[in-house]
């Protein structure tokens, strides 16, 4: 059997696949990888189909012992990777032999790193997905002693060309498709929102990123709870925006200015508390074109054979 | 009859939100349910998911399969086609047994007192009318039902409980709900329901959906236990 034994689970390590889609009517959120780009590359470098189950390692601290030969690929936040105490590179695949110990130290930049193994990890499926959502009791975080089952090693090792590796930016600009109640916000408060720099709050998690800064006056009045899209920017009465992410509640009643472009959400989730965040408007057409181009470019990217 | 009250807004790079009214009413709930069904049945390959709620439907689509403008036209067409038959398309009627009382409902006495009613009268008024499922959210399987008789309406507790037992039946303002699982919560608890509101492993994980009607039926403690309710 190919796989690993968990020696140390890390701060928070979760199985994630492409997410739980189509069950919002039951109140189920999507889950799925917070950084969709790093997750994509980890799987592709491991030779897996898109959306195969990988480990999302938040902050780091993971140690795995290989108990059956396999390959892994690691991509995402800068966490020092060691195999048998030898420093190894992220954004490429590595062959693992029984007895090898893989160690992901604490992130020096960014927050979340993905470990993909050959053929993906086997994990319990709920509503068609292995995505772990703790709030809903669907799946559990990794624990010490747990055995992880995956496929046998692949023949070739692959690496992502250097110029394709996403960078962590000091200040992240989030492009917003305006919508929902945008028109109900006053011109002044919208102006303030787009002019201001916000700081990522330590109270950010997989449900949403809370931002701190100038208070953005939200339109008054009660409204019925309504469906919340991925990336929606909600402004509660205290004027501190919250960008709602993978484990967001499915419905909510706070006014929303619009929705952050998915590609930019993936940058936001690598931001540590205190990081600076700004917003700018993008039209729906430009947003859809940006996603299309991003997808086409990464699909056209040729991996480097590394051995 | 064309429908003027429908309003469509952008809700993201791949989402639209359709507003179908601005009041809590069975008519609006019917329209939400109808539109949601039409979308789910007729645009299966173009949509990722929908979120029906009180007075709106969030529509998450695949921009590589359908243009926003085309989706908007479909929604408008469904809206036009639905104004009449909708009232015939009422949701299912689901009966949910409830063990009412001060033992199963730790806030029943306080609610009765604050609202100037007897315990029995609170219970009677709670199960006398049928409710609509207006929305599902907060937690998997948590169905917001409305509206309760004004005489038994009560605001949420000032301090929410850390642990509300599974099956607890609560009132918050003019809404009522059955807690599908143990969770924190601030609703006024008046009883407990033995029917499992959310079973992730069942073929039909929830006994109700948005737009369905609910009738509560009082049962005794022993009936509650017989039906598998938690003591």
């Amino acid at each position: 059997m190919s796989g690993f034994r968990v020696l140390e689970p890390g701060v928070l390590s979760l199985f994630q696949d492409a997410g739980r889609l189509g069950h919002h009517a039951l109140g189920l959120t999507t889950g799925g990888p917070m950084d969709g780009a790093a997750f994509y590359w980890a799987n592709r470098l491991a030779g897996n189909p898109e959306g195969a189950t990988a480990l999302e390692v938040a902050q780091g601290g993971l140690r795995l012992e290989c108990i059956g030969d396999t390959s892994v690929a690691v991509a995402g936040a800068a966490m020092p990777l060691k195999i048998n105490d030898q420093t190894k590179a992220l954004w490429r695949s590595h062959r693992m032999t029984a007895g090898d110990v893989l160690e992901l130290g604490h992130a020096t930049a960014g927050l979340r790193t993905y470990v993909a193994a050959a053929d993906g990890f086997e994990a319990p499926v709920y509503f068609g997905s292995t995505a772990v959502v703790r709030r809903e009791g669907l799946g559990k975080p990794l624990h010490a002693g747990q055995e992880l089952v995956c496929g046998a090693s692949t023949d070739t090792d692959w690496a992502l060309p250097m110029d394709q590796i996403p960078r962590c930016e000091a200040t992240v600009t989030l492009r917003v498709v305006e919508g929902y109640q945008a028109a109900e916000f006053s011109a002044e408060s919208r102006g303030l929102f787009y002019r201001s720099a916000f700081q990522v709050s330590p109270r950010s998690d997989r449900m949403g990123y809370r931002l701190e800064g100038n208070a953005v006056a939200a339109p008054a009045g009660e409204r019925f709870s309504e469906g919340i899209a991925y990336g929606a920017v909600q402004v509660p009465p205290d004027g501190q925006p919250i960008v709602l992410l993978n484990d967001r509640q499915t419905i909510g009643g706070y006014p929303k200015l619009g929705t952050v472009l998915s590609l930019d959400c993936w940058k936001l989730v690598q931001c540590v508390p205190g990081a600076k965040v700004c917003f700018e408007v993008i039209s729906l057409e430009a947003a859809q074109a940006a996603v299309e181009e991003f997808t086409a470019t990464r699909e056209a990217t040729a991996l480097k054979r590394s051995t | 009859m064309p429908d003027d009250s429908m309003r469509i807004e952008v809700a993201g790079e791949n989402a639209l939100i359709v507003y179908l009214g601005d009041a809590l009413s069975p008519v609006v709930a019917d329209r939400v349910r109808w539109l949601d069904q039409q979308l789910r049945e007729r645009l299966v390959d173009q949509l990722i998911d929908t979120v029906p709620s009180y007075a709106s439907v969030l529509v998450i689509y695949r921009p590589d399969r359908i243009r926003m403008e085309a989706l908007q036209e479909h929604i408008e067409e469904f809206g036009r086609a639905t104004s009449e038959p909708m009232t015939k398309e009422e949701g299912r009627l689901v009966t949910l047994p409830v063990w009412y009382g001060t033992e199963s409902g730790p806030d029943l006495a306080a609610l009765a007192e604050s609202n100037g009613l007897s315990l029995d009268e609170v219970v009677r008024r709670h199960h006398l009318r049928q409710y609509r499922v207006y929305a599902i959210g907060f937690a998997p399987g948590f169905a917001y039902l409305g509206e309760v008789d004004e005489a038994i309406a009560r605001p949420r507790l000032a301090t929410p409980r850390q642990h509300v037992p599974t099956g607890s039946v609560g009132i918050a303002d003019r809404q009522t709900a059955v807690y599908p699982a143990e969770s924190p919560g601030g609703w006024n608890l008046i009883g407990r329901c033995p029917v499992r509101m959310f079973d992730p492993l069942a073929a039909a994980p929830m006994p109700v959906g948005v737009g369905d009607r609910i009738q509560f039926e009082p049962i005794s403690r022993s009936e509650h236990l017989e039906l598998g309710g938690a003591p």
Side-chain angles (χ1 to χ4, degrees):
Chain A
M1 186 190 74
S2 295
F4 298 91
R5 183 176 299 111
V6 178
L7 300 178
E8 284 172 42
V11 176
L12 179 64
S13 303
L14 306 170
F15 286 128
Q16 295 295 344
D17 64 3
R20 194 164 283 111
L21 306 177
H23 301 287
H24 281 334
L26 299 172
L28 291 171
T29 193
T30 45
M34 290 282 275
D35 180 346
F39 173 78
Y40 170 90
W41 287 120
N43 266 326
R44 198 159 149 210
L45 289 162
N48 293 341
E50 228 174 291
T53 301
L55 279 174
E56 178 179 281
V57 180
Q59 296 180 48
L62 176 75
R63 277 178 72 232
L64 302 177
E65 181 190 354
C66 184
I67 52 173
D69 298 7
T70 184
S71 314
V72 292
V74 185
M79 292 181 190
L81 170 66
K82 286 181 182 171
I83 296 174
N84 299 333
D85 285 327
Q86 301 272 306
T87 298
K88 299 282 179 183
L90 266 60
W91 307 97
R92 53 157 292 171
S93 62
H94 301 279
R95 228 74 69 83
M96 300 289 297
T97 311
D100 287 352
V101 173
L102 178 151
E103 187 176 344
L104 261 182
H106 288 266
T108 53
L111 262 184
R112 295 162 220 277
T113 297
Y114 295 84
V115 179
D119 299 333
F121 290 104
E122 281 182 21
V125 176
Y126 304 96
F127 299 94
S129 166
T130 58
V132 174
V133 179
R134 286 188 302 164
R135 189 167 57 81
E136 297 179 343
L138 301 180
K140 288 194 176 83
L142 234 57
H143 59 85
Q146 185 175 353
E147 288 194 355
L148 311 177
V149 177
C150 58
S153 46
T154 44
D155 299 334
T156 318
D157 285 334
W158 298 101
L160 185 63
M162 284 293 278
D163 61 339
Q164 294 294 314
I165 296 174
R167 284 165 207 291
C168 285
E169 292 155 30
T171 300
V172 171
T173 300
L174 305 173
R175 289 165 286 179
V176 175
V177 178
E178 293 198 299
Y180 279 115
Q181 289 81 22
E184 293 174 35
F185 285 75
S186 69
E188 299 84 78
S189 80
R190 275 174 58 196
L192 182 68
F193 174 74
Y194 290 110
R195 269 200 321 273
S196 301
F198 295 90
Q199 277 197 352
V200 171
S201 157
R203 288 159 64 221
S204 299
D205 57 19
R206 285 188 47 94
M207 276 183 83
Y209 258 56
R210 291 168 180 269
L211 304 175
E212 295 165 347
N214 292 326
V216 178
E222 286 190 19
R223 46 186 63 70
F224 297 117
S225 283
E226 60 188 28
I228 300 176
Y230 172 73
V233 184
Q234 166 181 289
V235 184
D238 68 4
Q240 306 293 294
I242 304 172
V243 181
L244 293 158
L245 297 166
N246 301 66
D247 290 3
R248 68 197 176 280
Q249 62 276 35
T250 54
I251 60 171
Y254 290 126
K256 294 171 283 298
L257 262 166
T259 305
V260 175
L261 188 67
S262 55
L263 310 177
D264 294 348
C265 289
W266 301 343
K267 294 182 179 162
L268 176 63
V269 303
Q270 294 293 5
C271 290
V272 295
K276 282 210 161 47
V277 167
C278 300
F279 294 93
E280 66 180 37
V281 178
I282 186 172
S283 70
L284 176 64
E285 296 69 30
Q288 291 186 339
V291 172
E292 213 172 296
E293 197 204 324
F294 179 90
T295 309
T297 305
R298 74 178 183 185
E299 272 163 20
T301 298
L303 299 180
K304 272 192 331 195
R305 211 176 259 271
S306 71
T307 44
Chain B
M1 190 175 75
D3 182 17
D4 300 328
S5 57
M6 187 164 84
R7 189 163 58 82
I8 305 176
E9 299 282 351
V10 167
E13 70 197 45
N14 66 342
L16 291 174
I17 185 158
V18 189
Y19 294 103
L20 293 157
D22 49 16
L24 196 61
S25 81
V27 177
V28 175
D30 276 335
R31 303 176 61 210
V32 165
R33 186 173 163 280
W34 171 272
L35 176 65
D36 187 53
Q37 258 178 9
Q38 293 298 305
L39 287 163
R40 280 172 176 263
E41 278 166 22
R42 296 169 65 176
L43 295 174
V44 145
D45 297 328
Q46 289 81 19
L47 301 186
I48 293 171
D49 207 348
T50 59
V51 188
S53 190
Y54 292 91
S56 63
V57 181
L58 176 70
V59 188
I60 307 160
Y61 62 99
R62 300 184 190 275
D64 56 330
R65 299 203 184 154
I66 189 167
R67 304 285 313 159
M68 191 269 277
E69 295 78 10
L71 175 60
Q72 207 163 339
E73 277 170 31
H74 279 292
I75 293 169
E76 280 160 6
E77 178 206 327
F78 297 155
R80 272 195 298 276
T82 57
S83 24
E84 286 166 49
M86 275 194 312
T87 47
K88 311 267 186 294
E89 285 279 333
E90 284 192 340
R92 288 171 304 152
L93 175 61
V94 178
T95 301
L96 294 176
V98 178
W99 163 36
Y100 292 102
T102 49
E103 190 187 340
S104 55
D107 301 313
L108 178 60
L111 191 152
E113 201 192 321
S114 68
N115 293 32
L117 298 172
S118 66
L119 299 183
D120 286 350
E121 190 57 16
V122 173
V123 170
R124 199 182 68 85
R125 291 194 188 229
H126 187 257
H127 69 77
L128 203 61
R129 58 167 72 177
Q130 281 181 8
Y131 301 107
R132 283 289 178 146
V133 179
Y134 280 117
I136 292 170
F138 170 64
F142 192 98
Y144 291 85
L145 313 177
E147 286 187 303
V148 300
D149 189 330
E150 217 160 343
I152 58 167
R154 192 173 194 235
R156 288 170 176 79
L157 305 178
T159 309
R161 282 190 175 81
Q162 280 293 58
H163 302 284
V164 174
T166 302
S168 293
V169 178
I171 290 175
D173 300 318
R174 293 196 64 187
Q175 300 194 82
T176 183
V178 181
Y179 280 81
E182 193 196 286
S183 72
W187 293 39
N188 299 275
L189 308 181
I190 61 166
R192 214 169 304 159
C193 170
V195 174
R196 206 157 165 197
M197 294 300 284
F198 183 69
D199 180 357
L201 302 176
M206 278 195 75
V208 300
V210 169
D212 285 345
R213 290 170 300 145
I214 303 276
Q215 175 74 61
F216 289 117
E217 187 182 73
I219 54 167
S220 66
R221 181 175 189 276
S222 55
E223 285 170 309
H224 172 79
L225 296 176
E226 260 166 53
L227 290 166

